[in-house]
Amino acid sequence: MAEVGAHLTAAPAGDDRPSIFEAVAQDSLMAAVKPALQHLAKVLAESNPARYGFLWRWFDEIYILLDLLLQQQYLAKCSASFSENFYGLKRVAIGDCKQHSLACAGLPKKQHWKSLLLLVLVPYLKRKLEKLVSSLREEDEYSIHPPSSSWKRFYRAFLAAYPFVNMAWEGWFLIQQLCYILGKAQHHSPMLWLAGVRLVRLTADDIQALEKKFAVAAPSQPHSIKTQVQSAMKKALGGIAFSLSTGLSVGVFFLQFLDWWYSSENQETIKSLTALPTPPPPVHLDHGADSALLPKLKTMCPLCHKIRANATVLSTSGYVFCYRCVYNYVKTHQRCPITGYATELQHLVKLYSPES
């Protein structure tokens, strides 16, 4: 039985297709890099909200720009995304069955731009759609902004249909992977099919050509100011992309270590917290022009200065507000109204008294 499974998951001898393990591993590589960068942005934003708060508020947009630059560099130089090149793979056009061009030659323009858009834009749009659905569910559950009857019917129908659309999307990927394992498909992901490419392993000729390309920089002789400016811009963008790729290549080796470190640290922290007294409020309060002031009466909301209704605490700072007040504030400013700590809607925690 084990031999049958090994034959299913491994590529046949002489086949240039990667195994399903290599294909799935390169897919999960970038999925592991993004949370690490997001955690770094969150730490910086919490340490200095005024200076680094924008990193947390605009993380998705900053990340997509860096990802666009990185993937463009690798697709142009190696005919592969960053994660595919990391695992020794390259992309070839689906019609190119017999003779594969060298990886350093790049993809045809059509496949190149389709690959770039599908690598960068689709994950960004999916992430934004998930945030929109989460926000609409919150507003619908607590009636934050009661809409008109027609709009209410529309977005409730959208919320009801989204789980099925998402299930169909994920099912498409699963079916494609099963077909790839059974040898019925050339690509393990629908994104490769949409881009018109498939994955193959790098050959010895590819590796030699890539080493020569990166080792020997052909001298250029620009003849006009426009050519000089274009050449300087290409060199600058190439340098930035090379720095990003080098940093990521080194950083991915530490991801598993960081996961172990934080999990171990969290276990020790949870055990030690039970023996500690209640911590005091944050001492470095942000009393800016738009910051809320703490009321003298503890049952009042710092935002509306009325008796709290539907009490909700911010887990990032520990202060309690009305749910409607703090929901609207956090949704607009992405920070705590008292301390200025970087905050998201998922940090809202409703409080329930014994009487309720």
Side-chain angles (χ1 to χ4, degrees):
M1 196 68 179
E3 293 179 356
V4 176
H7 285 300
L8 285 176
T9 54
D15 192 357
D16 57 0
R17 293 193 318 157
S19 68
I20 186 61
F21 296 113
E22 293 173 306
V24 173
Q26 65 86 19
D27 281 339
S28 61
L29 177 59
M30 292 305 294
V33 170
K34 185 175 181 180
L37 296 177
Q38 194 169 17
H39 179 74
L40 176 62
K42 183 179 180 180
V43 171
L44 292 175
E46 290 179 346
S47 63
N48 194 332
R51 177 175 295 181
Y52 302 116
F54 74 95
L55 292 176
W56 181 254
R57 292 191 298 270
W58 299 98
F59 176 80
D60 289 336
E61 285 70 25
I62 296 173
Y63 179 82
I64 192 178
L65 290 177
L66 295 177
D67 192 29
L68 178 66
L69 181 61
L70 180 69
Q71 304 298 359
Q72 164 63 19
Q73 173 77 0
Y74 270 86
L75 285 173
K77 303 293 184 182
C78 309
S79 300
S81 68
F82 167 76
S83 57
E84 292 162 359
N85 180 260
F86 186 82
Y87 279 92
L89 307 176
K90 68 175 182 178
R91 296 186 173 209
V92 296
I94 290 180
D96 189 8
C97 299
K98 297 295 183 183
Q99 297 294 330
H100 302 324
S101 58
L102 293 177
C104 60
L107 290 168
K109 285 188 177 181
K110 183 178 179 181
Q111 282 80 4
H112 175 94
W113 291 112
K114 287 169 69 175
S115 296
L116 185 62
L117 289 177
L118 292 171
L119 279 170
V120 177
L121 190 60
V122 171
Y124 172 77
L125 294 178
K126 189 173 185 295
R127 173 65 175 164
K128 287 298 182 182
L129 182 61
E130 290 173 351
K131 285 187 175 181
L132 175 63
V133 170
S134 177
S135 176
L136 289 177
R137 282 176 178 165
E138 289 280 348
E139 294 183 1
D140 181 61
E141 182 178 357
Y142 298 104
S143 300
I144 302 299
H145 300 295
S148 62
S149 58
S150 57
W151 172 244
K152 190 172 184 178
R153 287 195 299 268
F154 171 76
Y155 83 71
R156 282 190 172 177
F158 170 73
L159 291 179
Y162 178 77
F164 299 99
V165 175
N166 188 55
M167 181 179 64
W169 176 264
E170 298 296 337
W172 187 15
F173 279 76
L174 177 60
I175 293 173
Q176 192 71 34
Q177 289 181 2
L178 291 176
C179 292
Y180 184 81
I181 292 174
L182 298 174
K184 304 298 183 181
Q186 293 182 333
H187 19 62
H188 73 286
S189 171
M191 296 295 101
L192 295 174
W193 175 72
L194 292 174
V197 297
R198 64 188 184 95
L199 291 180
V200 298
R201 290 190 177 94
L202 289 175
T203 63
D205 293 336
D206 288 321
I207 297 175
Q208 292 178 1
L210 288 174
E211 289 177 350
K212 290 180 181 179
K213 184 174 183 178
F214 288 117
V216 180
S220 58
Q221 299 292 335
H223 301 286
S224 64
I225 297 178
K226 181 179 179 180
T227 309
Q228 292 179 2
V229 172
Q230 291 177 350
S231 177
M233 291 180 64
K234 288 182 179 179
K235 288 182 179 180
L237 292 176
I240 295 174
F242 179 76
S243 301
L244 287 173
S245 62
T246 304
L248 287 176
S249 299
V250 176
V252 291
F253 289 105
F254 295 95
L255 285 178
Q256 293 297 329
F257 172 76
L258 290 176
D259 290 339
W260 169 83
W261 175 267
Y262 281 111
S263 62
S264 175
E265 186 183 40
N266 287 338
Q267 292 298 325
E268 295 178 0
T269 303
I270 292 173
K271 293 179 181 178
S272 62
L273 283 178
T274 57
L276 296 177
T278 304
V283 293
H284 51 292
L285 303 182
D286 182 16
H287 292 306
D290 57 345
S291 298
L293 298 177
L294 290 175
K296 294 182 179 180
L297 188 61
K298 293 184 178 181
T299 57
M300 292 181 62
C301 172
L303 290 172
C304 65
H305 295 281
K306 298 178 181 179
I307 300 299
R308 286 194 301 267
N310 202 357
T312 301
V313 64
L314 274 181
S315 61
T316 51
S317 63
Y319 288 99
V320 186
F321 311 84
C322 299
Y323 182 85
R324 186 186 299 268
C325 298
V326 72
Y327 181 94
N328 291 330
Y329 189 94
V330 171
K331 185 178 180 180
T332 303
H333 300 91
Q334 290 86 42
R335 67 182 182 90
C336 172
I338 304 296
T339 63
Y341 291 170
T343 305
E344 287 188 332
L345 294 177
Q346 63 184 10
H347 298 139
L348 303 180
V349 181
K350 292 190 65 178
L351 299 179
Y352 297 93
S353 61
E355 293 79 8
S356 61

